[in-house]
Amino acid sequence: MWRVDDFFATVGDVLGQIWTAATTPVDPPDQTVVLAVALVALAVVVVGPVWRVARHVVTIAHEGAHAVVAMLTGRRLDGIRLHSDTSGLTVTAGRPRGLGMVLTAFAGYVGPGLVGLGAAWLLRAGYAVGLLWLLVALLALLLLKIRNWFGLWSVLVSGAALVGVSWWLEPATQSAVAYAVTWFLLLGAVRPVLELQAQRARGRARSSDADQLGRLTGVPGILWVVVFGLVTLGCLVLGAGWIVGPVAA
């Protein structure tokens, strides 16, 4: 007969297994595997049809960064919407100007690269499986603020894929996936900045984060695009160095 005590014991056992797996360092894959998954991630970013699907992951990180910084700066997070065309919208409430608004607007395009940099740091420390479970936890928190069906579906699919990898696959495969996700975040953070400027050049992005920052600060939008590019490229260079360099003791 099913009992509440049995349910909580099962949940506790599952959480204990997850915690043990997440906090136990694992050996990094062979450098050949690391470079191979880097090439796969690069191909995903470069090949147009594949990128149009994979870009949803970058959008999740982009909007998630807006949301986190908004809350850290005291703004109220009303909701996040993710759209099928890979665009997104994070709605916050608070002062229409000021440092909090500037930081919130700035966070989006640099967010995926910074997440990738943090992921590279965890890989360098040996926590590849821990990285996967941390991403699952972050997606679960993000899910609470999603306000449209496509966004809900997008986050659920991403989270389910990570749970499947983290729970059922072998440690070597989990590690390879963690490296692939990290490479994709680092490499994939750069292309949206280039796409942003291409859209601005055609007059199609007048409400972009860069132009919003321009109106908030008086600094031209093109300079903010340059800053986005420098930050994402910096994350890529530093993160790649951490990934391919010696593992921290």
Side-chain angles (χ1 to χ4, degrees):
M1 182 177 178
W2 181 86
R3 295 186 305 174
V4 174
D5 289 346
D6 293 334
F7 171 77
F8 283 111
T10 301
V11 171
D13 182 59
V14 169
L15 292 178
Q17 292 181 54
I18 291 174
W19 179 256
T20 299
T23 57
T24 302
V26 297
D27 293 330
D30 186 82
Q31 283 290 85
T32 303
V33 175
V34 173
L35 295 177
V37 296
L39 291 177
V40 171
L42 179 61
V44 170
V45 173
V46 171
V47 178
V50 183
W51 168 248
R52 283 191 287 273
V53 176
R55 196 186 191 283
H56 289 291
V57 174
V58 177
T59 302
I60 291 172
H62 178 119
E63 300 303 331
H66 279 314
V68 169
V69 173
M71 290 188 293
L72 289 176
T73 56
R75 300 184 63 80
R76 188 181 76 243
L77 176 61
D78 288 338
I80 300 169
R81 300 177 69 88
L82 305 172
H83 304 131
S84 59
D85 63 356
T86 73
S87 65
L89 176 66
T90 299
V91 180
T92 66
R95 292 180 57 196
R97 306 188 71 85
L99 182 61
M101 190 63 196
V102 170
L103 292 176
T104 298
F106 178 76
Y109 278 96
V110 302
L114 291 173
V115 173
L117 185 62
W121 181 83
L122 287 173
L123 293 181
R124 181 176 172 82
Y127 294 105
V129 180
L131 167 62
L132 295 176
W133 282 115
L134 176 60
L135 292 175
V136 170
L138 293 174
L139 287 173
L141 292 174
L142 185 67
L143 197 62
L144 299 176
K145 288 296 182 179
I146 296 295
R147 294 294 183 264
N148 68 322
W149 285 111
F150 183 85
L152 182 69
W153 178 85
S154 183
V155 174
L156 282 175
V157 168
S158 300
L162 288 174
V163 169
V165 170
S166 305
W167 186 256
W168 283 293
L169 298 187
E170 294 298 318
T173 306
Q174 293 171 341
S175 185
V177 171
Y179 275 80
V181 170
T182 303
W183 276 119
F184 175 71
L185 288 170
L186 291 170
L187 292 164
V190 179
R191 180 164 176 172
V193 179
L194 301 177
E195 293 174 342
L196 168 63
Q197 184 51 33
Q199 292 174 345
R200 293 183 73 255
R202 294 193 294 267
R204 298 179 181 177
R206 299 185 184 278
S207 60
S208 71
D209 292 348
D211 293 284
Q212 184 179 9
L213 284 165
R215 290 189 289 271
L216 288 169
T217 64
V219 177
I222 182 59
L223 293 184
W224 287 108
V225 175
V226 171
V227 173
F228 293 160
L230 291 175
V231 172
T232 54
L233 286 172
C235 288
L236 172 58
V237 171
L238 182 56
W242 286 347
I243 292 173
V244 301
V247 177

